[in-house]
Amino acid sequence: MNIYYAPMEGITTYLYRQLHNKYFGGVDTYFTPFISVFPDHYIKKRDEREIDPANNEGMRVVPQVLANSSKELIWIFKKLTSMGYDEVNLNLGCPSGTVTAKGRGSGFLKEPDKLGTFFDEVFDSLGDDARKLSVKTRIGYLDASEMEHLSKIYARYPIKELTIHPRIRKQFYKGVPDMEVFEKALMMSSCPVCYNGNVFTLDDYNKINDRYGYQEGSDLHDVSGGLKEGSGLHDIGGMTKDTLDIHDINGDLSKDITLHYHMNTAGSADNKISSVMLGRGIVADPSLARQIKGGSHMDKAEFKEFRRALEAMYKENLKDGNNVFNKMKEMWFYMSQSFEGSEGYIKNILKSKSYAEYLAAANTLEGNCDIKSGPNASPVSF
Ligand SMILES: Cc1cc2nc3c(=O)[nH]c(=O)nc-3n(C[C@H](O)[C@H](O)[C@H](O)COP(=O)(O)O)c2cc1C
């Protein structure tokens, strides 16, 4: 199973990704927070830094973009692939009012016919290269029944991978994912599928994997094709395998990442997911992806080091000092959920009005609460 760190605006920025990868790892692919493409073919300076290959060394990063015109998407897609990115992800899930009002993110789901025309133009124009386009979608704008029609549209195109977050727009990130609709969408898919939503613990992951994952190793018995020369891609029965060389900042090979894609067939009850994408679960417990890969749960010493590295990184990079402790408050909102009995202490962190107040409150929580452990160490209040 491929394990992805979800795009999270304001959280999984490149500085955070670098630290997470250094201290915990376990993630096969990091997604950038969404990058808005402006009509005159322009992206913000901040987003240029997100996609600068020098800032993404040593890990596989997929840039995520927000666009609703084929011209915008084609422009950013070409820019990113010419920089060496082997995948570009289209955001069809963002629920924010300012985004949906412009018909972007989940707002694009309101207009399925326009979405179909958009994909026709994109796939026609990009030809084979369009196979590098992946999509992250919700299951509808107003109602989950929209997913049936949307699934038929997605099934018309060779999308690299379809990430399904089974909520509708108005839920934002609340309520339980609609697994019935997810299952139907998985069955209707003709491309590899990634599941996303409420995977907060190792147990949560195991349940999703047991129910929807292909069985690791099953490909060993069914090899139907060899390495396609130069592409790093293998065809293996109903699977493709993509082995990528990841380089560190010196340009040296630092690791290989092998991604497995289960090739689905529209209408087949045998369809499987290839990947699981986790967001809030990893922010809360940065060792979660590592645990999924068979590694250890974080301990207090490791957390302390990571937290101090985060503080130092924000101090160095955020010009306004207030932003540093506001950013750390946001991180603690999630991270505190990995600590036993942190409910009272987190309030003091969130109430703090200066960096000194923040630091005292964070040290108190860290000093007084143990890290939850075990496969069910569940964040409680998302
Ligand atoms: C603070 C925050 C920022 C997010 N930013 C993005 C984003 O930039 N792009 C995107 O596709 N999804 C974004 N999401 C949604 C997540 O990628 C993910 O779909 C959602 O959190 C559900 O997964 P989870 O239950 O594992 O957290 C964001 C979610 C949160 C809470």
Side-chain angles (χ1 to χ4, degrees):
M1 187 75 78
N2 311 315
I3 302 300
Y4 300 156
Y5 202 152
M8 296 183 79
E9 196 200 4
I11 296 181
T12 59
T13 56
Y14 76 91
L15 294 160
Y16 175 90
R17 296 194 298 271
Q18 287 172 355
L19 288 183
H20 182 270
N21 187 47
K22 175 175 168 190
Y23 284 88
F24 295 99
V27 170
D28 296 312
T29 301
Y30 292 86
F31 286 70
T32 70
F34 68 76
I35 291 165
S36 290
V37 185
F38 294 96
D40 45 355
H41 294 172
Y42 155 84
I43 64 171
K44 289 181 187 158
K45 278 266 166 324
R46 182 189 75 180
D47 291 335
E48 291 282 2
R49 288 193 288 274
E50 285 298 321
I51 58 171
D52 182 344
N55 291 332
N56 292 316
E57 297 282 3
M59 54 196 136
R60 179 171 186 260
V61 172
V62 170
Q64 187 194 59
V65 300
L66 199 58
N68 71 349
S69 95
S70 53
K71 273 195 189 141
E72 289 166 9
L73 183 69
I74 290 164
W75 172 76
I76 190 75
F77 180 95
K78 286 187 173 164
K79 175 180 165 86
L80 290 165
T81 50
S82 70
M83 290 168 87
Y85 289 100
D86 63 6
E87 179 177 340
V88 176
N89 184 260
L90 174 68
N91 177 323
L92 293 178
C94 182
S96 146
T98 48
V99 168
T100 57
K102 293 186 195 125
R104 294 166 170 226
S106 64
F108 208 167
L109 305 179
K110 273 191 290 192
E111 301 177 279
D113 293 340
K114 189 175 163 202
L115 186 63
T117 309
F118 165 90
F119 278 130
D120 284 342
E121 289 167 1
V122 168
F123 280 89
D124 279 355
S125 163
L126 294 176
D128 268 0
D129 242 18
R131 288 173 184 275
K132 294 178 182 162
L133 184 69
S134 63
V135 170
K136 179 167 182 272
T137 186
R138 285 187 183 244
I139 54 174
Y141 183 77
L142 287 176
D143 196 282
S145 61
E146 294 163 33
M147 191 59 185
E148 187 165 347
H149 186 36
L150 291 168
S151 295
K152 286 184 189 153
I153 295 174
Y154 295 139
R156 299 207 299 253
Y157 307 95
I159 293 169
K160 184 175 173 84
E161 189 165 33
L162 179 68
T163 295
I164 303 173
H165 174 205
R167 287 190 169 95
I168 57 170
R169 184 252 165 174
K170 75 167 178 222
Q171 289 179 285
F172 279 66
Y173 305 108
K174 297 216 171 78
V176 282
D178 188 332
M179 298 314 286
E180 215 176 294
V181 172
F182 172 75
E183 281 176 25
K184 187 140 190 227
L186 175 60
M187 200 179 83
M188 292 178 74
S189 181
S190 62
C191 66
V193 169
C194 169
Y195 172 79
N196 168 240
N198 286 30
V199 177
F200 298 145
T201 66
L202 191 53
D203 260 7
D204 292 341
Y205 167 77
N206 287 335
K207 283 186 191 128
I208 294 288
N209 184 31
D210 290 349
R211 181 133 194 198
Y212 306 111
Y214 65 87
Q215 290 314 303
E216 301 269 358
S218 58
D219 48 341
L220 293 177
H221 305 291
D222 187 19
V223 179
S224 66
L227 178 68
K228 284 186 197 155
E229 218 173 327
S231 70
L233 265 181
H234 304 253
D235 273 344
I236 303 172
M239 304 273 305
T240 66
K241 213 169 144 189
D242 203 348
T243 303
L244 303 152
D245 294 340
I246 305 295
H247 297 90
D248 64 19
I249 11 183
N250 305 316
D252 297 332
L253 187 67
S254 64
K255 61 183 167 194
D256 274 348
I257 289 186
T258 301
L259 299 165
H260 297 258
Y261 297 102
H262 186 271
M263 304 317 285
N264 292 320
T265 306
S268 167
D270 292 334
N271 283 354
K272 300 283 181 209
I273 59 170
S274 304
S275 317
V276 175
M277 176 184 274
L278 302 92
R280 293 165 295 173
I282 309 186
V283 189
D285 175 354
S287 68
L288 184 54
R290 184 176 75 191
Q291 292 171 56
I292 290 172
K293 293 286 175 74
S296 59
H297 200 287
M298 71 173 165
D299 60 24
K300 184 79 82 77
E302 199 179 19
F303 174 82
K304 279 184 172 177
E305 255 195 81
F306 179 61
R307 178 201 140 191
R308 276 151 193 77
L310 276 179
E311 287 167 352
M313 175 272 283
Y314 288 132
K315 267 191 176 162
E316 196 180 317
N317 290 283
L318 299 177
K319 284 185 200 106
D320 180 347
N322 282 338
N323 289 342
V324 177
F325 77 94
N326 284 330
K327 185 56 75 185
M328 285 309 296
K329 283 191 208 177
E330 191 180 359
M331 301 307 299
W332 270 107
F333 169 76
Y334 295 101
M335 298 190 305
S336 64
Q337 317 227 11
S338 280
F339 287 81
E340 301 279 4
S342 61
E343 295 78 10
Y345 297 103
I346 183 62
K347 286 192 185 130
N348 291 333
I349 295 182
L350 299 179
K351 274 194 324 216
S352 59
K353 295 209 165 46
S354 66
Y355 192 74
E357 264 180 50
Y358 151 75
L359 210 54
N363 289 343
T364 308
L365 188 157
E366 195 183 74
N368 289 321
C369 303
D370 287 332
I371 287 182
K372 293 176 187 170
S373 62
N376 247 329
S378 178
V380 283
S381 62
F382 294 143

